[in-house]
Amino acid sequence: MSAPARTGLDPVCGMTPRPDSPHTALHRGETYRFCSARCAERFRAEPERFLAAPAPHGGGSAAAAHAHAEASSASLARPRRYTCPMHPEIVRDAPGACPICGMALEPMDPSTTEEPSAELRDMERRFRLSAALTLPAVALAMGDMLPGAPVSHALDGLGPWLQLALATPVVLWGGLPFFERGVASLRTRHLNMFTLIALGTGAAFVYSALATAAPGLFPAGFRGHEGRVEVYYEAAAVIVTLVLLGQVLELRARERTGDAIRALLSLAPATARRVRLDGGEEDVPLDAVVPGDLLRVRPGEKMPVDAVVVEGRGGVDEAMVTGEAIPVEKVPGDRVIGGTLNGNGSLLVRAERVGSETLLARIVALVAEAQRSRAPIQRTADAVAAWFVPAVVVAAVVTFAAWALFGPPPRLAYALATAVSVLIIACPCALGLATPMSIGVAMGRGARAGVLFRNAEAIERLRAVDTLVVDKTGTLTEGKPRLTEVEPAPGVSAGELLRIAAGLERASEHPLAAAVVRGAEERGLSIPAAEGFDARPGQGVVGRVEGRSVALGTTALLAELGADPSPFAGRAAALRDEGRTVLFAALDGRAAGFLAVADLVKPSTPEALSALRHEGVRVVMLTGDHRTTALAVARALGIEEVEAEVLPDQKAAAVRRLQEAGCVVAMAGDGVNDAPALAQADVGIAMGTGSDVAVESAPVTLVRGDLRGIARARRLSRATLRNIRENLFFAFVYNALGVPVAAGVLYPFTGMLLSPMIAAGAMSFSSVSVVANSLRLRRVEL
């Protein structure tokens, strides 16, 4: 005689079985009752597993819920951490500048809320005021270049004082962050672009202030034809304003990198519907869900966490994970992923992984980590500054000392003027313009060609790409199923079969049904109404159309209805090998033929891949879709390397393996599941027709989703990098030639000194050369 049956919950699914449930199991002298035969079978196979697990419901896991709530509170209370994208060893609890390179720190921890950047708002305020004051300062300075210096005459000598009043807030307040970073770079002995900016603007401003307040310090050789000492307020103000503009653009770009994270986090619902011990249901915050909780997911709702189906069946759209638009049928025992969309069935699921353990949370972490690992193009400029800044400073110091010790009287005035000339001619204005000007023009040229670049590093790296990893669905293919074949049985016309099938499928929300209906509409067929529609998860649909019994679905469905689909088996198998999905049809209990649906290759894809192979680019397909479908598409496109049925984190890992093997990798994709790989790749390329998450995760977007844009983008990348090198030459040739002349090396032979005015002119001419050369990119052929 067995022990009395235990009352309470089913130890497998956590539901309350009926008192008269026949599904029982005896274990260690106790009888356990179950809500279904499946739960009883699973218990008999692994009884200790289910008895050791925490109670799978909200009310019975109060301790776990309390612990989870405490952990969530601790997580929320922990301050956000910030790091430098170029120096990840720098970690701070507040935003600011990197002590090594001076770049703005960015948050390490993903956040669901978009917090306004205090630093960005501050830089925007400084830029607006600086721009408003710099424009009149430049107008005053330019006015003095007109014949007869009419502005100076009109102001009766007050021009320099007015420029001083305009430039002082710009340099001392607008440029304060740059001076702070410049001083920090000297203190830490990590010289960078801000060192140059601080020295250049500081030297120009101090020199001009001295020339305004104490012009008698300067010898006659540094005076104009009317005996005035030239001032360079406009140079200092313009440099500060331009650098502020660059900082505003950089910080805005940094904020936009968080859009991908927020878009990913928004895929999970804010609440979950938890089933209580008494069978009632309640909506709870997602943070309150713990492993073992029973959750109800109604039709059209998103899965709150990674879980296993306990009761119910239905199609779940897992496109965010696999990229495949066709829903996957779920039955008890199958796993579901947080953020995926439940279709037309009500599911009871048991939470398995919550919080940071879910697949969606891991995708978020992968995207955030990969975005931070990018090395910006500013690394090149800082590497140049590492030797250029000390060389300029040493040259200025040596110049000052040489003139102070050996120069003609007044030695100090000559020493000061020549040292300032060295610093002014070495001012980083042209160096600062060399890359941004080329990048800005290239971005505009790319946009006209249907290629959008989000940052400079993508343009820099794209030319070096030797391996292109491509997603299948939506990238190589159109991304939505289309009707490709209609094969009727003898005695049935193709039009009649398609018309009746479309009438039945019009009542369904399945993507395959939409493809059938769209195919009928494109062929101009009138679609009748259906009656008695019934969707059978995992099998297909049945109903009545124009008084006839109609079924459309799998061979199992037709066999259940007594229809024999075997005459079409050979042709159907051949189509499946080509990546088609076959829907068998039955009319009035007899097999009537089949329809084939497929995600077709984009017309532009073969040409795009051919052009890339011609340039020596290796093409690898990486997809979450079934291997059979992936291989069929690969064969059609001549792609030899294929990895199929891979999850999002596995895609990122595959890209990382290629990088570790020495490849420079570009990843092209369009879905949420591609986001980690897009962020991990050296260059991520998103289809403009794809998901917002993919577009936000990738620095390059092909507006029309046309892969031919990659070849155009590579040609633009090569032209841009060539243009940048030319700009750097223009930026440095004047420095290389001008610094020795400004230091006075020609004075012993010719008696000629390069005054600060001429030094500023040479500096300006280098900037004009850089701008003019950059504009040539607007005419580059792609």
Side-chain angles (χ1 to χ4, degrees):
M1 179 177 177
S2 67
R6 286 184 49 152
T7 59
L9 303 176
D10 181 328
V12 175
C13 68
M15 295 187 67
T16 304
R18 297 194 313 272
D20 59 345
S21 172
H23 309 298
T24 60
L26 181 66
H27 179 69
R28 292 186 177 178
E30 292 193 46
T31 299
Y32 296 85
R33 197 175 300 280
F34 303 89
C35 62
S36 67
R38 181 179 177 85
C39 287
E41 290 172 6
R42 294 182 66 192
F43 179 83
R44 294 188 191 101
E46 300 177 279
E48 299 301 331
R49 170 191 169 191
F50 295 105
L51 293 178
H57 54 80
S61 54
H66 179 69
H68 186 271
E70 288 186 346
S72 298
S73 300
S75 175
L76 292 172
R78 186 178 67 241
R80 296 190 73 186
R81 298 173 300 159
Y82 297 80
T83 187
C84 174
M86 289 172 58
H87 302 94
E89 69 274 15
I90 302 299
V91 178
R92 297 288 185 269
D93 290 335
C98 173
I100 297 177
C101 65
M103 284 186 65
L105 301 180
E106 59 182 37
M108 296 177 63
D109 309 307
S111 172
T112 54
T113 58
E114 185 174 356
E115 301 173 0
S117 168
E119 185 177 14
L120 173 58
R121 305 298 171 259
D122 179 60
M123 288 292 181
E124 286 176 335
R125 285 193 298 269
R126 293 177 191 271
F127 169 70
R128 283 194 292 266
L129 179 63
S130 297
L133 296 177
T134 296
L135 289 175
V138 171
L140 286 173
M142 296 300 104
D144 276 346
M145 294 184 180
L146 298 174
V151 174
S152 293
H153 287 301
L155 294 175
D156 194 21
L158 294 177
W161 289 101
L162 185 54
Q163 289 187 53
L164 173 62
L166 291 169
T168 297
V170 176
V171 176
L172 298 187
W173 182 73
L176 180 61
F178 311 141
F179 286 107
E180 291 174 341
R181 296 179 188 185
V183 171
S185 71
L186 295 174
R187 187 171 59 249
T188 60
R189 292 189 288 278
H190 289 288
L191 303 184
N192 52 51
M193 286 296 294
F194 293 105
T195 317
L196 286 175
I197 293 164
L199 285 174
T201 56
F205 181 78
V206 171
Y207 174 88
S208 300
L210 286 173
T212 301
L217 290 175
F218 298 87
F222 291 89
R223 297 175 182 272
H225 64 278
E226 294 186 354
R228 291 183 294 109
V229 180
E230 299 296 334
V231 293
Y232 309 98
Y233 294 115
E234 85 287 351
V238 166
I239 292 169
V240 168
T241 303
L242 287 176
V243 177
L244 279 170
L245 175 60
Q247 288 295 293
V248 168
L249 295 177
E250 177 190 326
L251 289 168
R252 283 180 180 173
R254 294 281 173 215
E255 277 206 337
R256 284 197 299 271
T257 60
D259 291 347
I261 303 296
R262 284 184 286 272
L264 282 168
L265 290 171
S266 68
L267 292 176
T271 62
R273 191 162 188 81
R274 187 166 61 189
V275 179
R276 298 193 303 266
L277 268 175
D278 58 7
E281 298 179 0
E282 59 182 346
D283 288 328
V284 297
L286 200 59
D287 286 344
V289 177
V290 296
D293 279 351
L294 278 182
L295 307 173
R296 175 75 63 189
V297 185
R298 292 165 292 194
E301 292 182 338
K302 292 180 179 179
M303 299 295 167
V305 295
D306 292 359
V308 63
V309 177
V310 170
E311 184 180 284
R313 57 193 303 160
V316 175
D317 183 356
E318 295 186 338
M320 62 160 279
V321 178
T322 65
E324 193 59 30
I326 299 174
V328 178
E329 299 296 335
K330 299 292 183 179
V331 297
D334 290 341
R335 283 182 165 76
V336 292
I337 299 168
T340 56
L341 183 65
N342 186 25
N344 52 11
S346 178
L347 300 178
L348 186 69
V349 301
R350 184 176 62 248
E352 285 197 333
R353 290 193 294 268
V354 302
S356 62
E357 298 301 317
T358 64
L359 179 61
L360 180 59
R362 297 204 301 274
I363 292 176
V364 169
L366 283 168
V367 172
E369 182 180 356
Q371 284 182 339
R372 289 198 306 270
S373 69
R374 300 291 181 89
I377 199 169
Q378 186 174 341
R379 184 185 295 276
T380 302
D382 279 346
V384 171
W387 62 265
F388 180 65
V389 176
V392 170
V393 173
V394 169
V397 171
V398 169
T399 298
F400 184 90
W403 282 92
L405 293 174
F406 308 111
R411 292 177 178 176
L412 188 60
Y414 276 114
L416 177 63
T418 51
V420 168
S421 293
V422 169
L423 289 173
I424 287 179
I425 204 168
C427 187
C429 187
L431 179 62
L433 286 173
T435 295
M437 275 301 301
S438 293
I439 294 300
V441 176
M443 286 181 172
R445 180 66 185 89
R448 297 207 313 272
V451 181
L452 301 182
F453 293 97
R454 289 186 62 192
N455 53 44
E457 67 206 80
I459 299 179
E460 178 193 26
R461 292 181 176 182
L462 195 55
R463 68 186 177 91
V465 165
D466 55 26
T467 303
L468 174 65
V469 175
V470 287
D471 175 45
K472 180 186 73 69
T473 307
T475 303
L476 297 174
T477 66
E478 294 178 350
K480 55 184 179 182
R482 287 186 177 275
L483 182 69
T484 58
E485 281 88 15
V486 180
E487 299 275 353
V492 181
S493 70
E496 182 70 6
L497 175 61
L498 177 56
R499 191 177 71 85
I500 292 176
L504 181 62
E505 291 285 31
R506 175 172 273 179
S508 173
E509 297 179 354
H510 200 286
L512 293 181
V516 172
V517 173
R518 187 165 54 250
E521 290 173 343
E522 290 172 352
R523 289 163 173 79
L525 300 176
S526 61
I527 302 176
E531 300 174 348
F533 176 84
D534 181 26
R536 300 187 180 182
Q539 290 189 314
V541 293
V542 296
R544 298 189 67 81
V545 177
E546 296 181 336
R548 304 181 69 179
S549 173
V550 184
L552 198 66
T554 64
T555 54
L557 175 63
L558 263 66
E560 182 181 318
L561 299 174
D564 180 17
S566 59
F568 312 104
R571 175 63 176 152
L575 289 174
R576 287 196 191 97
D577 289 340
E578 295 177 8
R580 308 292 202 261
T581 298
V582 176
L583 303 174
F584 291 94
L587 294 177
D588 296 325
R590 298 181 61 183
F594 66 85
L595 312 177
V597 175
D599 183 10
L600 299 177
V601 171
K602 293 178 181 177
S604 61
T605 298
E607 179 186 343
L609 296 185
S610 176
L612 290 168
R613 290 193 189 99
H614 181 71
E615 294 184 3
V617 177
R618 167 189 177 191
V619 180
V620 180
M621 182 196 292
L622 203 61
T623 177
D625 199 2
H626 298 296
R627 177 166 294 277
T628 302
T629 306
L631 290 175
V633 174
R635 280 196 302 271
L637 294 173
I639 298 175
E640 297 179 357
E641 297 180 70
V642 180
E643 288 192 45
E645 301 177 6
V646 290
L647 295 176
D649 54 343
Q650 295 171 332
K651 283 191 175 185
V655 171
R656 195 178 302 113
R657 284 196 303 272
L658 289 168
Q659 291 171 322
E660 291 169 352
C663 300
V664 182
V665 182
M667 167 71 191
D670 78 319
V672 174
N673 61 313
D674 300 316
L678 289 170
Q680 174 63 42
D682 295 284
V683 181
I685 303 171
M687 301 294 108
T689 52
S691 73
D692 291 341
V693 171
V695 171
E696 293 295 343
S697 301
V700 180
T701 299
L702 304 182
V703 177
R704 293 179 288 275
D706 186 345
L707 284 178
R708 289 176 296 188
I710 298 178
R712 291 194 290 268
R714 278 171 53 81
R715 287 192 282 273
L716 179 59
S717 172
R718 288 193 292 268
T720 303
L721 266 292
R722 183 167 60 249
N723 192 266
I724 288 175
R725 286 193 292 268
E726 293 166 352
N727 284 350
L728 290 174
F729 170 79
F730 286 126
F732 280 110
V733 69
Y734 298 108
N735 296 127
L737 297 176
V739 168
V741 175
V745 295
L746 298 179
Y747 184 81
F749 311 104
T750 64
M752 184 186 77
L753 280 179
L754 185 66
S755 75
M757 179 178 62
I758 299 175
M763 178 192 69
S764 300
F765 187 67
S766 67
S767 299
V768 170
S769 301
V770 163
V771 172
N773 187 58
S774 299
L775 292 176
R776 292 173 53 242
L777 282 173
R778 297 169 62 181
R779 299 189 298 274
V780 68
E781 289 294 330
L782 302 180

